[in-house]
Amino acid sequence: MDGSSIAAPASARTLDQLVARFAQRAARHDRSGEIALDNLADLRDAGLLALALPPASGGQGIGVRQITEIVGRIAQGDPSTALILAMQYLQSGAIARSPAWSDTVRGELFASIVRDGALINALRVEPELGTPARGGLPATSVRHDGTAWRLNGRKIFSTGSTALKWGVVWSRTEEDTPRVGQVLVPLDLPGVRIEQSWNQMGMRATGSHTVIFENVALPDHYLVNLAPPGSAPDEAVALATWHAVVVGALYDGVARAARDWLIGFLHARAPSNLGAPLSTLPRFHTLLGEIDALLLTNSALIDHALRREEAGEQAGTDAGLVKQVVTENAIAAVGKAVAAIGNPGLSQDNPLERHYRDVLCGRIHTPQGDSALASAGRAALAG
């Protein structure tokens, strides 16, 4: 990705500077498990957090190709920060395109992003249900108590949790005929609390904790698009293609960071019994060729999905397969690097072991591998 189509505030030079800065901080944030607020402040100061908003609202209306390029590049510095940024772009961009959001609510939300660098993410996954991509209705609910709507429930794996200003909460109403959809929640309201539950092996600085809602009072206009199940399209489903490609590009970025570190290591490491750097050995030439073949495949697949999306084609099944193959290629690429150099690859003194832990997390993002493959298989048999 050469940066040629990236929006002006996210020029290649700006991204290079941010990536270098974030890479220096990444190990510290990984060890602490805390969100990199300094990285997010840098993104805000560089004007990157509002890029998916329409120009009339203070953004640049960037599309999926530019989102993919920026997120993939930032991931080379710190993928946890890149994931928070990806969700910012995907959610704010989806809201900008949606007919369901009122101009009043949209204006309030967008103004906070431009003015304050406010962060937003969708909060959908629940302890009992798991990922909603596999079907089912949310347990999180809103009910009217005669004076206000009250929100109750909990959402797990809430990326960016403690840094978020806004949550787009997938909920159902407590009515005789329940309605399901999105509820916008300012996460500083009384009754909202965050349970520190994210203690994963990789992507540790995403702050993907549990957000708990206890009788949170909401005005009517924050109930954005509630409708009987199946009567209106789920906006998260409509966003699935963009999500799959962007997430794939993020983990491809992790693999590229691992590749770059490996090249530096091979040039610098010169065992006394060899009398020359490891980079002179043919077996490492072959290794880098294998890694580059995997990453070249990733570039071609991501571009394929983006071209289909830009052409207005229905690329849902393809996008799922692209995410599946790209993430598996990224995992394989980093795994090859770790296996080839032995103990230095697993030392916490080097970033490669962190890249390996992070890249493995690509498998848990929607669409997960079995779902992507099964969907493609059903489409093939139906054709």
Side-chain angles (χ1 to χ4, degrees):
M1 297 180 186
D2 61 9
S4 59
S5 64
I6 293 175
S11 66
R13 180 180 178 185
T14 297
L15 291 177
D16 287 346
Q17 292 171 342
L18 291 173
V19 167
R21 197 178 307 161
F22 294 176
Q24 291 178 344
R25 301 167 177 166
R28 171 166 53 89
H29 292 299
D30 172 74
R31 290 195 176 102
S32 72
E34 298 293 332
I35 292 174
L37 297 178
D38 44 3
N39 292 355
L40 297 175
D42 285 343
L43 292 173
R44 180 196 63 220
D45 293 345
L48 268 66
L49 295 180
L51 289 183
L53 304 185
S57 299
Q60 293 199 17
I62 63 172
V64 65
R65 183 175 292 275
Q66 291 173 314
I67 291 171
T68 299
E69 291 175 347
I70 294 169
V71 168
R73 189 75 182 94
I74 293 296
Q76 294 180 42
D78 187 338
S80 290
T81 297
L83 186 61
I84 295 172
L85 181 63
M87 298 303 108
Q88 175 83 350
Y89 287 155
L90 291 173
Q91 295 305 319
S92 62
I95 292 166
R97 298 187 303 275
S98 171
W101 291 68
S102 72
D103 290 341
T104 299
V105 175
R106 208 189 326 251
E108 179 186 0
L109 171 61
F110 290 175
S112 71
I113 293 174
V114 173
R115 181 184 64 244
D116 305 322
L119 295 173
I120 184 170
N121 196 6
L123 309 181
R124 291 177 61 85
V125 184
E126 296 183 343
E128 296 83 6
L129 181 65
T131 174
R134 294 181 183 269
L137 297 179
T140 300
S141 65
V142 286
R143 61 176 175 82
H144 204 278
D145 66 0
T147 58
W149 288 96
R150 298 282 177 175
L151 176 69
N152 285 277
R154 62 174 54 214
K155 298 294 184 178
I156 59 175
F157 306 149
S158 303
T159 294
S161 61
T162 55
L164 299 177
K165 163 62 179 174
W166 303 96
V168 181
V169 182
W170 188 52
S171 312
R172 61 175 175 82
T173 59
E174 294 185 18
E175 299 172 314
D176 291 340
T177 302
R179 292 174 291 153
V180 178
Q182 295 172 314
V183 175
L184 181 66
V185 183
L187 296 179
D188 56 358
L189 287 180
V192 179
R193 62 186 177 90
I194 294 174
E195 182 180 276
Q196 304 280 323
S197 58
W198 184 251
N199 189 26
Q200 309 300 96
M201 178 179 72
M203 300 295 283
R204 289 177 46 75
T206 61
S208 301
H209 299 303
T210 300
V211 182
I212 300 170
F213 306 100
E214 297 174 330
N215 289 318
V216 179
L218 298 172
D220 289 359
H221 62 277
Y222 280 168
L223 277 64
V224 178
N225 62 344
L226 296 171
S231 67
D234 186 335
E235 292 193 354
V237 174
L239 191 60
T241 294
W242 285 36
H243 184 278
V245 178
V246 171
V247 165
L250 187 156
Y251 288 100
D252 176 74
V254 177
R256 291 177 189 277
R259 170 199 181 271
D260 291 347
W261 180 86
L262 175 64
I263 289 173
F265 175 83
L266 295 177
H267 281 305
R269 176 74 171 129
S272 58
N273 61 339
L274 179 62
L278 293 177
S279 59
T280 63
L281 294 178
R283 73 183 184 94
F284 288 114
H285 302 167
T286 302
L287 170 68
L288 263 298
E290 292 172 350
I291 290 173
D292 279 359
L294 291 167
L295 299 182
L296 179 62
T297 302
N298 282 0
S299 294
L301 288 171
I302 291 169
D303 185 64
H304 164 78
L306 292 174
R307 287 179 184 275
R308 289 202 62 184
E309 183 67 18
E310 290 164 346
E313 300 176 12
Q314 297 296 318
T317 299
D318 272 10
L321 286 178
V322 167
K323 186 265 178 182
Q324 156 71 7
V325 176
V326 166
T327 52
E328 289 301 323
N329 281 355
I331 291 168
V334 183
K336 285 177 179 292
V338 171
I341 64 172
N343 275 328
L346 294 176
S347 170
Q348 290 191 348
D349 293 332
N350 298 320
L352 190 57
E353 65 86 28
R354 170 167 43 84
H355 295 323
Y356 194 44
R357 288 186 285 108
D358 285 340
V359 80
L360 287 171
C361 295
R363 287 176 172 153
I364 57 92
H365 288 275
T366 302
Q368 292 161 353
D370 64 322
S371 293
L373 294 171
S375 178
R378 285 193 297 269
L381 292 169

